[in-house]
């Protein structure tokens, strides 16, 4: 993240004023360490569950893949919908207390996940986890920027971003290690970390007061949540019930009505949940239109690799996590060391194009080369290409989208892009689950995976169009 972007975050959330009263209790670096725990927990749990999904299925034998997919999708949908809502709501209140409330909710929900006796209660607990994560993320950046002087904020944000990216990258590997003991450990591990963060945060975090901003619409948050949830439900259940079944059609109808009502609210409200004026900025529009298909393919990819290695090749969760690790580990490495230099030399649109091509190339290797017999070199090469693609594309799109907005809109714009990313992740998972269905034979299963990867390639390369129309043409002017 650039220095300009970091400065605009500070202006957008009103953190130029120094923290009051308790500012001396923690140094800026200590604040960074404390809030980084929050972003680590939020990012880690986005990806750690993928590796554990087959083990969860073994314990809850009556659960189908469609049911299990809601362990992932429930988290992604609620996190997407509440990120903007809680971000704006938290601006009205003390940032340190809001952050600690998010950590407490996430920690308690993690304990509930570990104790869940069935899939239904596990999904409910995951939704509560997502709510805690959606509260932790925006308040952590507010605390961070309030604690550092302006000339050090950019470096602090880069460190915070890198730590969060590393946590996400380590998710599959950590999941593989923990699942060797019991899948419940992927949730139990959050509890002591959260408790320590709560105690230290309560004693050390500076007080950062809120300021008077319009209250976000809870009704709009409910509309977007129900719309994305109903759409995902319809896609997931289409194979079981049929695309023309009453339940699936009802799901699509609820999705259409909810999202239409959400769009009407945004267009007509004096205090819109998502300001339509954001989309008058061409680079922002381009970034969101590329982010949507790319994130859908990314969500499907994460699910597919964990399921492929454990259900087709019969690998353990630990071996699966180790094989997946090279790809995620390349994400922060690529984004921090190469993305900024490449953007400066070739432009953002070229870097996004390279990221799309690299990600699609990794999927193509799997679709063409992977079969019933384990092929570790082909898998790892594909994993590395997808990791490089993500490292080039995601941070570049965030920089292009949010960096093109005025300072007063940066925080909201960043939240909107992240909301779209998380919603697309859920839809991508739903699409891949629908493609896999319930194959009768191993040959059918392999064919379904290959078909899913080719469809994800098509979805990924669709991002070339908005990249050219909105980002490249803008850069040429």
């Amino acid at each position: 993240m650039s220095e300009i972007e970091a400065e605009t975050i500070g202006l957008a959330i009103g953190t130029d004023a120094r923290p009051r009263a308790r500012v001396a209790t923690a140094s800026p670096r200590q604040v960074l360490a404390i809030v980084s725990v929050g972003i680590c927990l939020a990012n880690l749990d986005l990806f750690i569950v993928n590796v554990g999904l087959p083990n969860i299925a073994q314990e809850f034998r009556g659960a189908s893949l469609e049911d299990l997919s809601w362990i992932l999708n429930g988290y992604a949908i609620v996190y997407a919908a509440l990120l903007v809502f809680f971000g704006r709501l938290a601006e009205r209140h003390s940032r340190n207390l809001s952050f600690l409330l998010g950590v407490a909710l996430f920690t308690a929900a993690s304990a509930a996940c570990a104790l869940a006796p069935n899939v239904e209660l596990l999904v409910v607990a995951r939704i509560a986890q997502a709510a805690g994560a959606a509260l932790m993320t925006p308040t952590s950046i507010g605390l961070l920027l309030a604690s550092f002087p302006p000339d050090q904020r950019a470096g602090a944000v880069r460190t915070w971003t890198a730590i969060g990216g590393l946590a996400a990258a380590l998710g599959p590997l950590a999941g593989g290690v923990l699942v060797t003991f019991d899948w419940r450990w992927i949730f139990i591990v959050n509890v002591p970390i959260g408790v320590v963060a709560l105690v230290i945060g309560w004693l050390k975090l500076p007080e950062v007061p809120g300021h008077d901003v319009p209250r976000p619409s809870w009704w709009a948050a409910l509309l977007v949540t129900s719309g994305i949830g109903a759409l995902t439900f319809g896609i997931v259940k289409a194979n079981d019930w049929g695309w023309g079944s009453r339940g699936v059609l009802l799901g699509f109808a609820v999705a259409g009505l909810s999202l239409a009502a959400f769009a009407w609210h945004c267009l007509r409200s004096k205090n819109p949940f998502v300001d339509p004026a954001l989309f008058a900025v061409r680079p922002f529009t381009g970034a969101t239109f590329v982010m949507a298909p790319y994130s859908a393919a990314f969500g499907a990819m994460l699910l597919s690799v964990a399921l492929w290695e454990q259900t087709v090749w019969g690998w353990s969760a630990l071996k699966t996590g180790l094989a997946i690790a090279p790809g995620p580990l390349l994400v922060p490495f690529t984004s921090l060391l190469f993305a900024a230099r490449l953007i400066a030399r070739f432009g953002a649109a070229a870097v996004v194009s390279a990221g799309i091509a690299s990600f699609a190339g990794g999927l193509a290797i799997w679709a063409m080369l992977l079969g019933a017999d384990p092929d570790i070199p082909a898998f790892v090469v594909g994993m590395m290409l997808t990791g490089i693609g993500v490292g080039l594309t995601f941070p570049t799109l965030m920089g292009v989208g949010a960096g093109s907005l005025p300072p007063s809109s940066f925080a909201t714009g960043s939240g909107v892009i992240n909301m779209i990313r998380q919603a697309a992740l859920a839809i991508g998972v739903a699409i891949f689950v629908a493609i896999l269905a319930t194959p009768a034979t191993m040959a059918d299963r392999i064919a379904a995976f290959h078909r899913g990867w080719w469809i994800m390639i098509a979805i990924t390369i669709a991002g070339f169009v908005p990249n050219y129309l909105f980002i490249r043409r803008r850069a040429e002017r």
Side-chain angles (χ1 to χ4, degrees):
M1 187 173 287
S2 70
E3 293 185 13
I4 294 175
E5 292 168 0
E7 287 298 316
T8 52
I9 294 178
L11 290 170
I13 61 178
T15 53
D16 283 337
R18 304 299 295 167
R20 300 183 307 177
R22 296 164 61 190
V23 66
T25 61
S27 68
R29 292 187 179 277
Q30 288 174 329
V31 173
L32 173 61
I34 295 168
V35 300
S36 292
V37 173
I39 196 64
C40 282
L41 290 173
N43 282 1
L44 191 67
D45 265 58
L46 275 172
F47 306 111
I48 196 172
V49 179
N50 287 275
V51 174
L53 210 59
N55 294 74
I56 297 173
Q58 290 178 8
E59 179 164 338
F60 302 137
R61 295 187 180 276
S64 65
L65 179 59
E66 290 82 0
D67 297 330
L68 293 168
S69 69
W70 287 101
I71 300 172
L72 306 176
N73 285 342
Y75 187 98
I77 292 169
V78 173
Y79 186 52
L82 294 184
L83 192 62
V84 174
F85 179 77
F86 279 166
R88 292 179 58 188
L89 190 64
E91 290 180 14
R92 298 171 56 90
H93 304 283
S94 171
R95 305 292 167 76
N96 54 304
L97 294 181
S98 297
F99 173 77
L100 293 174
L101 178 60
V103 174
L105 178 56
F106 189 93
T107 303
S110 296
C113 288
L115 296 172
N118 52 54
V119 173
E120 292 77 16
L121 289 179
L122 179 54
V123 171
V124 171
R126 285 281 286 170
I127 289 172
Q129 259 194 327
L135 185 54
M136 285 192 297
T137 303
T139 51
S140 65
I141 192 68
L143 282 166
L144 188 67
L145 292 170
S147 301
F148 279 83
D151 62 330
Q152 296 180 24
R153 287 176 181 169
V157 170
R158 280 195 296 269
T159 303
W160 178 83
T161 304
I163 292 172
L166 182 61
L170 292 176
L173 180 58
V177 173
L178 293 171
V179 166
T180 60
F181 301 99
D182 191 299
W183 66 263
R184 296 178 187 274
W185 274 100
I186 63 181
F187 301 112
I188 293 173
V189 71
N190 294 331
V191 177
I193 297 173
V195 170
V196 171
L198 279 171
V199 173
I200 296 177
W202 178 259
L203 296 175
K204 292 288 188 179
L205 282 177
E207 181 183 351
V208 181
H211 53 279
D212 188 21
V213 293
R215 188 184 302 274
S217 170
W218 65 268
W219 177 244
L222 180 61
L223 285 174
V224 71
T225 304
S226 61
I228 298 169
L231 177 61
T232 305
F233 176 83
I235 296 171
V236 166
K237 288 297 184 181
N239 278 323
D240 281 351
W241 297 350
W243 287 94
S245 67
R246 181 179 300 176
V248 170
L249 292 178
L250 179 61
F252 290 149
V254 170
L257 290 172
S258 297
L259 294 176
F262 176 74
W264 182 87
H265 156 83
C266 293
L267 291 171
R268 300 296 297 272
S269 175
K270 294 181 180 179
N271 179 31
F273 195 82
V274 175
D275 189 351
L278 294 174
F279 293 93
V281 181
R282 289 179 63 84
F284 177 85
T285 302
T288 55
F289 284 0
V290 177
M291 184 69 80
Y294 199 92
S295 297
F298 176 67
M301 181 275 293
L302 283 175
L303 175 65
S304 72
V305 292
L307 291 179
W308 173 272
E309 291 183 340
Q310 294 183 72
T311 64
V312 176
W313 288 349
W315 286 4
S316 67
L318 178 58
K319 191 173 182 179
T320 296
L322 290 170
I324 292 173
L329 287 173
L330 279 173
V331 175
F333 179 80
T334 303
S335 62
L336 290 175
L337 296 184
F338 295 104
R341 297 177 184 178
L342 292 173
I343 292 170
R345 182 169 182 178
F346 300 106
V351 175
V352 171
S353 294
I356 291 173
S358 181
F359 188 88
L363 295 179
I365 287 176
W366 296 339
M368 292 187 294
L369 300 181
L370 296 188
D373 297 324
D375 187 342
I376 297 177
F379 179 83
V380 172
V381 169
M383 200 73 245
M384 293 175 69
L385 284 174
T386 61
I388 292 171
V390 172
L392 291 175
T393 306
F394 275 156
T396 305
L397 291 175
M398 288 298 298
V400 168
S404 63
L405 298 172
S408 60
S409 300
F410 184 89
T412 302
S414 299
V416 169
I417 293 177
N418 276 311
M419 181 180 75
I420 291 171
R421 181 177 71 170
Q422 298 302 327
L425 281 172
I427 293 171
V429 168
I431 292 173
F432 207 90
V433 168
I435 294 169
L436 287 183
T438 52
T441 66
M442 181 59 70
D444 291 338
R445 179 179 293 274
I446 292 173
F449 272 98
H450 288 171
R451 183 165 57 251
W453 284 327
W454 284 118
I455 291 173
M456 289 306 125
I457 290 171
I459 291 174
T460 302
I461 63 177
F464 279 124
V465 176
N467 184 45
Y468 176 80
L469 292 177
F470 294 97
I471 300 177
R472 179 169 180 250
R473 289 191 173 183
R474 171 77 177 185
E476 290 176 345
R477 291 176 180 169

